[in-house]
Amino acid sequence: MAPRSVPESALAGLREDLAGQVLVPGDPGYDEARILHNAMIDRRPAVIAQCETQADVSNAVLFGRETELPVAVRGGGHSVAGTSAVDDGLVVDLRRMHRVVVDPEDLTVRVEGGATMSHLDRACQPFGVATTGGRASTTGVGGFTLGGGSGWLERKFGLACDNLLAVDLITAEGKHVVASADDNPELFWALHGGGGNFGVATSLTLRLHELPATSIAMVFVRPESAPDVVRAFRDLGEVAPDEVGGGVICCPAPPTPFIPEHLVGELVCGSLLTYAGPVDEVREFAAPLLALRPEAELVTDIAYADLQCMLDDPPGLRNYWSAEYLSEFPDAAVDVFCERAARIPMPTSTQHVLFMMGGAVADGPLDYPVPWRTAPWVVHPFATWEDPADDERVRRWVRDVRADARPWSIDAVYLNFIGNEGERRVVAGYGAGNHQRLARVKAAYDPDNVFHLNHNIAPAASA
């Protein structure tokens, strides 16, 4: 079916109003501009507004409303559900707005709404400062932060939203508002986990932290030794200082220099310790893992911006993810985790992940709508593959992982880690009480639910 056509007079007005570019089907660059991170999503917008300024964003939102087009907002395009594109609608594309301004004296950074983690991390690196970012350099800073923001540095510096100081937002009426502790504080609260429900974030101001050194310790073992690695990692996580983060990652071994050639493509169980400090200190914490005589190991200093690239997926893969946040991870959970890891669908590049939480995450503000912050562990099945014929068996494996973890689940979930899993999971992502409060904020700033292509919060009817 051909995409919906928009009156040429309306398009001409939008082109005149925008400093950026307007793309419609058939234009050079249209097909490239509509590609998302998840290759399972193939949507054909009626209009893509490639915004360059805050005024562009306002004009694009007003155009969408005047033409009655559904509106999607694109930052990094990493949503596994593909919410940053829409068939027969308008995409407000922020990717041209990726400037990052670091203030090393005040330890703050202002990040435009289309910037990725790579833009942020590379800008901060020369000053020896950082803030909690996602675990992939191509992730958009805006959607990541507004959704809560879980990353390698969270145990030391808190979630990304814990470091949020201010947001410039374009509302559904095309108006510019500032949200901070002093300006529109209820909206500011909602932006600490409520996602893109309330408007288009054209810039975010974040708190920075001094980070003079980062290091990692990685080990890989064959599947039969996986329980030993997982238990050692779990035991370490229960006593490690906040500087230590990381995860267990079971997957087909990637073709990297420190992995023996005979293991490449074979199922392995790996443990990655990240450390906000020098390599000699991370080696001490990694001693129980290194003592297991792994098939491959790597202990090294690494620049934080390079660490952020380690798990980047190549473009063009099909993606399906989910998560369960856990109150504990006893030996019984270790066993079912490892049993499911041995059944990772092959040949794919799927990862079966256990992340360590706690530290500054658990100690952070409990008032924000991120009820999952109290969990010490999260199981995150992260499936990626190429062949559409594998869709059903891979998605079934992800659902089986969730079922395995349910006995220890806290029934709260980080919505950036999941796709469309129904209304109950959306409420679980915010918390029932928070969801009602968020609905009132939604009614104040987006009563018509213009921004609904997300983990949506319907506006409260009584507001």
Side-chain angles (χ1 to χ4, degrees):
M1 181 181 295
R4 172 180 170 181
S5 61
V6 179
E8 190 56 43
S9 59
L11 285 172
L14 180 63
R15 289 190 174 100
E16 184 175 341
D17 288 340
L18 254 62
Q21 188 172 4
V22 176
L23 298 175
V24 299
D27 283 349
Y30 168 85
D31 283 321
E32 181 180 358
R34 69 184 182 86
I35 295 174
L36 299 179
H37 176 75
N38 186 357
M40 294 184 75
I41 311 298
D42 183 22
R43 295 188 175 136
R44 298 186 62 81
V47 183
I48 301 173
Q50 297 183 314
C51 301
E52 291 188 357
T53 66
Q54 187 169 267
D56 279 1
V57 175
S58 177
N59 289 329
V61 170
L62 292 174
F63 168 84
R65 302 211 60 180
E66 291 165 1
T67 55
E68 299 183 343
L69 292 173
V71 177
V73 181
R74 176 166 186 160
H78 251 252
S79 162
V80 69
T83 57
S84 46
V86 58
D87 283 323
D88 295 333
L90 167 69
V91 174
V92 180
D93 188 342
L94 305 178
R95 284 176 292 173
R96 294 188 177 196
M97 301 173 63
H98 55 73
R99 286 177 289 273
V100 177
V101 179
V102 179
D103 187 331
E105 294 186 0
D106 287 346
L107 288 177
T108 60
V109 59
R110 185 177 182 273
V111 186
E112 286 193 325
T116 65
M117 287 300 152
S118 180
H119 292 125
L120 172 59
D121 297 334
R122 297 294 175 188
C124 291
Q125 191 78 46
F127 302 102
V129 296
T131 194
T132 302
R135 299 176 179 91
S137 68
T138 53
T139 302
V141 176
F144 167 78
T145 303
L146 300 183
S150 172
W152 297 128
L153 295 177
E154 64 191 358
R155 283 172 47 85
K156 178 63 175 175
F157 300 139
L159 299 172
C161 71
D162 297 341
N163 293 283
L164 185 62
L165 300 175
V167 180
D168 286 289
L169 197 80
I170 299 298
T171 70
E173 295 181 347
K175 295 180 179 178
H176 169 234
V177 298
V178 174
S180 68
D182 298 321
D183 299 301
N184 301 299
E186 189 69 359
L187 173 62
F188 188 55
W189 169 84
L191 296 174
H192 288 74
N197 273 284
F198 311 100
V200 184
T202 56
S203 77
L204 303 91
T205 302
L206 298 163
R207 181 184 299 107
L208 293 173
H209 306 268
E210 294 182 357
L211 187 68
T214 49
S215 54
I216 59 170
M218 295 186 72
V219 301
F220 283 93
V221 300
R222 293 183 181 274
E224 55 268 25
S225 299
D228 294 332
V229 167
V230 179
R231 280 192 291 267
F233 177 82
R234 177 203 59 191
D235 295 346
L236 172 62
E238 292 176 350
V239 299
D242 294 352
E243 287 80 5
V244 174
V248 168
I249 304 173
C250 301
C251 61
T256 57
F258 70 94
I259 292 182
E261 187 175 348
H262 68 274
L263 283 182
V264 173
E266 298 295 319
L267 277 179
V268 294
C269 178
S271 175
L272 167 62
L273 287 189
T274 63
Y275 186 68
V279 67
D280 56 333
E281 294 177 15
V282 77
R283 187 181 295 277
E284 293 180 17
F285 293 113
L289 293 163
L290 297 171
L292 297 175
R293 303 184 63 162
E295 295 271 341
E297 64 181 67
L298 176 67
V299 184
T300 184
D301 286 307
I302 186 171
Y304 175 65
D306 294 332
L307 168 60
Q308 290 285 76
C309 301
M310 284 187 64
L311 297 184
D312 283 2
D313 292 318
L317 294 178
R318 305 172 78 77
N319 283 250
Y320 189 74
W321 324 328
S322 194
E324 288 290 341
Y325 281 72
L326 311 180
S327 60
E328 58 178 341
F329 202 68
D331 285 346
V334 172
D335 291 341
V336 297
F337 179 89
C338 294
E339 289 168 6
R340 188 63 60 185
R343 287 181 261 172
I344 286 175
M346 298 286 281
T348 69
S349 50
T350 291
Q351 301 171 12
H352 189 24
V353 182
L354 171 73
F355 285 132
M356 178 194 308
M357 295 186 64
V361 179
D363 294 338
L366 295 178
D367 180 54
Y368 294 151
V370 282
W372 43 272
R373 73 157 69 239
T374 59
W377 304 101
V378 54
V379 170
H380 180 33
F382 189 95
T384 58
W385 68 103
E386 295 184 15
D387 190 348
D390 290 330
D391 287 0
E392 181 50 38
R393 72 184 183 101
V394 176
R395 288 183 291 189
R396 183 169 57 250
W397 178 85
V398 170
R399 293 191 290 267
D400 288 343
V401 171
R402 278 196 60 206
D404 289 345
R406 287 296 298 167
W408 303 281
S409 174
I410 67 169
D411 201 30
V413 65
Y414 176 36
L415 294 175
N416 283 359
F417 270 1
I418 72 171
N420 293 322
E421 296 184 3
E423 177 66 15
R424 193 193 71 80
R425 287 279 273 178
V426 171
V427 175
Y430 302 125
N434 291 329
H435 189 266
Q436 296 173 9
R437 183 177 172 185
L438 289 165
R440 294 192 291 272
V441 180
K442 177 76 169 183
Y445 289 91
D446 185 15
D448 298 323
N449 206 7
V450 171
F451 302 111
H452 64 273
L453 298 174
N454 43 43
H455 292 293
N456 192 235
I457 300 163
S462 61

